[in-house]
Amino acid sequence: MRQDAIAILGGTGDQGLGLALRFAKAGRPVVIGSRKLERAEEAAAKVRQEVPDGDVEGRTNEDAAARAPIVILSIPFEHFASTVKRIRDKLAEGQIVVSMGVPLATAIGDGAVRTVGIWQGSCAELVKTLVPDGVQVVSAFQNVSAHRLQHLAEEVECDVLVSGARAPRERVMALCALVPGLRAVDAGPLANARIVEQITALLIGLNVRYEVPEGLGIRIAGLPAGNSGA
Ligand SMILES: NC(=O)c1ccc[n+]([C@@H]2O[C@H](COP(=O)([O-])OP(=O)(O)OC[C@H]3O[C@@H](n4cnc5c(N)ncnc54)[C@H](OP(=O)(O)O)[C@@H]3O)[C@@H](O)[C@H]2O)c1
């Protein structure tokens, strides 16, 4: 495992591909995971086309999960539990799993401007119940637009509210600095993912009402200078 690598499971989709492009552009090794090896390899080739010196490989989700200290789950909410169960044997103590999932009501055939309730409190807390002991879960990136991530020429104007235990939280906050325009905000314990995940449904409604297909972001006003994330 390379200590600076970042694995993105479901990195073949819009949001995961966007993060893969940004992290590759920042010079970090990226492992894109998919249920199908060919799809992962295709996505990795797409990233290399846009970032020719990018260090990117495609793997199955199971392989990808074992190849990086930070593993980002970039799959629709309704497939989180089944995916984590499939890869959990590959996770080892000390790894960090990042939950980016939003429990949109599309999971039950309803709209994306609403969410469904989760017994554990949030998608991130659901993940926490499923990973092996010693694997940390951090919540991040739910409020960032895939479209803006994929447009490498422009900055991504958004704050990233990062929550989880302090040490892994700080490591994920540091990832935000790799993407121009993103700013990490220390959102404290993992339970605050309950609030952060809901903001995405609100943003989707705002995108529609304000006709911003590129996707809106959020900014926290008034953070003290020099204390605005890792
Ligand atoms: N799109 C956005 O702007 C955005 C913004 C903020 C947060 N998010 C969150 O980021 C996550 C990914 O969003 P997305 O828009 O990238 O989703 P997506 O494109 O719909 O799906 C991402 C990937 O999930 C995998 N997948 C699909 N069905 C699956 C299944 N049954 N089991 C396991 N994996 C499956 C697919 O990968 P393979 O077929 O290659 O396995 C797919 O490429 C979601 O939780 C979403 O709420 C998205």
Side-chain angles (χ1 to χ4, degrees):
M1 184 187 296
R2 292 167 67 182
Q3 285 311 306
D4 55 347
I6 303 163
I8 306 174
L9 311 194
T12 51
D14 288 340
Q15 186 79 346
L17 190 69
L19 286 177
L21 283 161
R22 294 289 180 167
F23 293 146
K25 177 125 177 117
R28 294 289 287 267
V30 173
V31 187
I32 293 182
S34 166
R35 288 166 297 170
K36 293 266 181 230
L37 179 60
E38 314 82 73
R39 272 207 292 272
E41 286 173 339
E42 267 172 38
K46 257 191 229 169
V47 174
R48 282 194 299 271
Q49 215 171 351
E50 288 213 41
V51 185
D53 54 352
D55 181 350
V56 191
E57 59 176 341
R59 298 271 172 172
T60 62
N61 282 335
E62 289 83 350
D63 280 354
R67 293 180 79 81
I70 297 182
V71 179
I72 300 176
L73 300 175
S74 185
I75 49 186
F77 161 69
E78 56 270 37
H79 307 305
F80 258 66
S82 58
T83 301
V84 176
K85 285 177 189 170
R86 269 201 300 274
I87 57 126
R88 70 177 159 199
D89 289 350
K90 308 290 178 187
L91 296 170
E93 190 168 344
Q95 275 180 289
I96 299 171
V97 171
V98 179
S99 173
M100 192 165 56
V102 178
L104 296 178
T106 46
I108 55 164
D110 192 19
V113 296
R114 289 180 282 280
T115 57
V116 290
I118 303 173
W119 189 265
Q120 293 80 356
S122 63
C123 179
E125 290 165 285
L126 165 67
V127 174
K128 180 79 185 151
T129 65
L130 296 172
V131 296
D133 288 348
V135 172
Q136 302 280 351
V137 176
V138 171
S139 152
F141 301 116
Q142 298 96 331
N143 308 142
V144 184
S145 147
H147 185 281
R148 293 193 191 274
L149 283 172
Q150 289 188 21
H151 279 73
L152 289 180
E154 285 172 29
E155 291 201 354
V156 184
E157 196 193 343
C158 194
D159 280 353
V160 180
L161 298 165
V162 185
S163 59
R166 180 177 295 279
R169 179 171 82 222
E170 286 174 353
R171 285 182 63 192
V172 175
M173 288 174 73
L175 292 186
C176 298
L178 300 174
V179 182
L182 286 192
R183 181 179 63 166
V185 175
D186 184 342
L190 193 65
N192 282 331
R194 298 172 189 198
I195 301 165
V196 178
E197 292 175 6
Q198 304 300 315
I199 294 171
T200 303
L202 176 68
L203 285 172
I204 292 170
L206 291 173
N207 292 341
V208 174
R209 282 191 293 283
Y210 284 86
E211 299 181 10
V212 185
E214 301 81 14
L216 295 163
I218 57 163
R219 283 285 190 220
I220 304 297
L223 280 182
N227 189 21
S228 56

